[in-house]
């Protein structure tokens, strides 16, 4: 498996684990930024990496749909002028993360479609997954290119015998990839993010790292004598929720910092730690 595919596979698995278990906004933001930086130069992505990327999008999509249904049910039972801030925030978070994944896929298709037959095949296999996003104004631009690719390659495959083998399907995809030009796709801004270290980064990283050590190790620590963070308020079970995610698998209090063009670090008040003495 190529190194690039290993990186995509590992990072997407980390994101999935982070969504369901760790729920650490800092980790999630930087994983998405790493995938975005790789998108334009991703070649020959392995089938397992492609499937993992699409599966991640599918899981977030299902959660987004469930949140929408919950909000509609809540609206029917409550005053029409009232707003549920928690559900509204969760929906906006998921929409921003879903859009970023679509932008990552767009970056791969626009720059390296001819060398990513596995990704095209994965998109064709899950083509119905993207249909419902046509009606969302925030997704129409990024879904357009994906649907263009699906329509082109899907039409070529539909002209052939339905009993084709997987090898024959890939032969057609590879052949058509050579004839498909990026001019048929809408060029989106390149996703490039860089790590910007804020002043006195130790004020965040030292308490943050020691909080993880304190919560995750089996070593006994006298909480009353710890002054680098407020140990009395840190519990292993609620560490993830304090970092900005709910028990239902949401991914943080806002869009990825990198996606907003902001610093990729979190400020101290966004974590459970409190830098009392460093």
């Amino acid at each position: 498996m190529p190194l690039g595919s290993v990186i995509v596979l590992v990072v997407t698995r980390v994101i999935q684990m982070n969504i369901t278990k760790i729920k650490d906004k800092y980790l999630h933001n930087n994983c998405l930024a790493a995938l975005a930086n790789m998108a334009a130069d991703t070649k020959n992505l392995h089938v397992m990496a492609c499937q993992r990327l699409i599966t991640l999008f599918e899981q977030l999509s299902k959660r987004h749909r469930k949140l929408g249904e919950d909000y509609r049910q809540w609206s029917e039972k409550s005053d029409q002028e009232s707003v549920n801030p928690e559900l509204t925030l969760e929906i906006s978070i998921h929409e921003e993360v879903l859009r970023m994944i679509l932008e990552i896929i767009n970056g791969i298709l626009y720059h390296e479609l001819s060398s990513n037959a596995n990704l095209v095949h994965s998109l064709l296999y899950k083509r119905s997954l993207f249909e419902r996003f046509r009606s969302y104004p925030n997704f129409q631009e990024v879904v357009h290119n994906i649907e263009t690719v699906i329509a082109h390659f899907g039409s070529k495959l539909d002209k052939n015998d339905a009993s084709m083998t997987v090898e024959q399907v890939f032969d057609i995809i590879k052949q058509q990839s050579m004839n498909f030009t990026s001019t048929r796709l809408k060029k989106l801004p390149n996703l490039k993010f860089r790590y910007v270290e804020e002043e006195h980064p130790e004020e965040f990283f030292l308490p943050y790292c020691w909080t993880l050590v304190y919560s995750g190790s089996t070593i006994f620590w006298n909480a009353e004598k710890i002054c680098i963070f407020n140990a009395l308020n840190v519990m292993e079970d609620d560490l993830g929720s304090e970092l900005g995610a709910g028990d239902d698998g949401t991914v943080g209090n806002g869009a990825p910092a990198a996606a907003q063009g902001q610093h990729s670090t979190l400020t101290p008040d966004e974590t459970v730690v409190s830098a009392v003495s460093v």
Side-chain angles (χ1 to χ4, degrees), residues 42-277:
T42 300
K43 297 181 180 181
N44 301 316
L45 199 59
H46 193 273
V47 60
M48 289 180 63
C50 295
Q51 290 174 355
R52 178 63 61 176
L53 185 62
I54 302 301
T55 298
L56 177 63
F57 181 83
E58 183 178 19
Q59 291 173 341
L60 290 171
S61 175
K62 289 179 179 178
R63 176 60 187 159
H64 176 259
R65 180 186 296 227
K66 178 64 167 57
L67 287 171
E69 293 174 354
D70 291 344
Y71 191 87
R72 282 191 293 271
Q73 293 176 4
W74 180 87
S75 299
E76 293 173 357
K77 298 177 181 178
S78 61
D79 184 5
Q80 293 182 353
E81 297 182 357
S82 61
V83 177
N84 187 322
E86 293 182 2
L87 277 176
T88 301
L89 179 61
E90 286 192 48
I91 291 172
S92 65
I93 290 170
H94 281 70
E95 286 182 353
E96 289 164 350
V97 176
L98 284 167
R99 179 181 171 87
M100 185 145 182
I101 295 176
L102 290 174
E103 288 178 343
I104 292 169
I105 296 174
N106 265 275
I108 298 174
L109 293 178
Y110 186 86
H111 294 281
E112 297 293 345
L113 184 145
S114 60
S115 58
N116 281 290
N118 287 325
L119 180 59
V120 174
H121 182 265
S122 296
L123 292 173
L124 289 170
Y125 186 73
K126 290 286 187 178
R127 65 178 74 184
S128 61
L129 184 61
F130 306 94
E131 293 176 355
R132 78 180 187 90
F133 290 97
R134 298 174 190 164
S135 58
Y136 290 85
N138 293 338
F139 291 97
Q140 289 175 352
E141 182 182 35
V142 288
V143 169
H144 175 268
N145 285 346
I146 295 175
E147 289 199 318
T148 299
V149 171
I150 290 174
H152 172 79
F153 288 91
S155 63
K156 302 302 179 183
L157 292 173
D158 291 341
K159 293 179 181 179
N160 292 272
D161 189 358
S163 61
M164 290 186 298
T165 64
V166 175
E167 290 76 13
Q168 291 173 326
V169 170
F170 272 99
D171 287 341
I172 294 175
I173 291 175
K174 291 176 181 178
Q175 181 181 0
Q176 292 300 320
S177 296
M178 304 304 296
N179 302 325
F180 190 93
T181 60
S182 60
T183 56
R184 300 183 58 179
L185 303 177
K186 185 182 298 184
K187 182 171 175 55
L188 300 176
N190 287 334
L191 296 176
K192 290 295 179 182
F193 307 103
R194 63 190 181 91
Y195 176 79
V196 179
E197 192 170 85
E198 298 178 351
E199 266 189 81
H200 307 297
E202 68 278 0
E203 292 182 0
F204 165 73
F205 284 106
L206 282 177
Y208 179 78
C209 292
W210 275 108
T211 301
L212 298 180
V213 172
Y214 173 78
S215 300
S217 70
T218 57
I219 302 173
F220 172 76
W221 304 86
N222 189 339
E224 295 180 354
K225 294 185 178 181
I226 295 177
C227 60
I228 200 170
F229 62 90
N230 191 351
L232 297 176
N233 292 336
V234 177
M235 298 295 293
E236 182 177 1
D237 292 337
D238 63 5
L239 176 61
S241 61
E242 289 285 342
L243 289 170
D247 294 333
D248 49 12
T250 55
V251 294
N253 186 18
Q260 294 178 324
Q262 301 173 351
H263 296 343
S264 58
T265 58
L266 295 179
T267 55
D269 60 342
E270 292 178 280
T271 70
V272 297
V273 300
S274 176
V276 178
S277 174

